[in-house]
Amino acid sequence: MRVIELDACSWRTVLDFYNALLAALGAPDWHGRSVAALIDSMVYGHINAVEAPYVVKVTGTARIPTAVKDEIVSVARIFAEHQKTDVKVEFQIEP
């Protein structure tokens, strides 16, 4: 399975997370920066250059702001729920 690796060490805002993820997915410039927009493009597909299945591996989260880490964890949780409906996108979060 394809692995998309993101290093969160320099992220200071939630927008930094979305910008890094969308760049790695080859998302169009008009792509929204929200969980709902991620679901549209990552679950339903045909928007980003990278299509499922894949794993998004986020490293370097030990010292990022709490709000950023909370957003990553929230997105990971939502995608874990979608795994139950046969969507092949997984998030892994490491310190």
Side-chain angles (χ1 to χ4, degrees):
M1 184 177 298
R2 183 177 189 159
V3 177
I4 297 169
E5 295 189 38
L6 302 175
D7 182 358
C9 287
S10 65
W11 298 350
R12 297 293 165 250
T13 68
V14 170
L15 200 53
D16 292 335
F17 160 62
Y18 283 104
N19 289 339
L21 176 58
L22 294 174
L25 293 174
D29 291 339
W30 51 262
H31 195 293
R33 268 72 175 160
S34 68
V35 175
L38 290 181
I39 291 169
D40 285 346
S41 70
M42 295 169 69
V43 173
Y44 301 111
H46 308 294
I47 293 175
N48 302 323
V50 177
E51 293 286 337
Y54 53 84
V55 173
V56 177
K57 183 177 179 181
V58 183
T59 60
T61 62
R63 292 186 175 92
I64 62 174
T66 302
V68 180
K69 190 165 187 177
D70 288 349
E71 184 72 8
I72 297 166
V73 169
S74 177
V75 169
R77 187 177 306 120
I78 289 166
F79 275 87
E81 286 297 316
H82 279 284
Q83 284 285 37
K84 296 174 184 174
T85 61
D86 201 33
V87 172
K88 303 298 184 216
V89 176
E90 177 185 337
F91 276 79
Q92 297 174 353
I93 305 167
E94 298 180 4

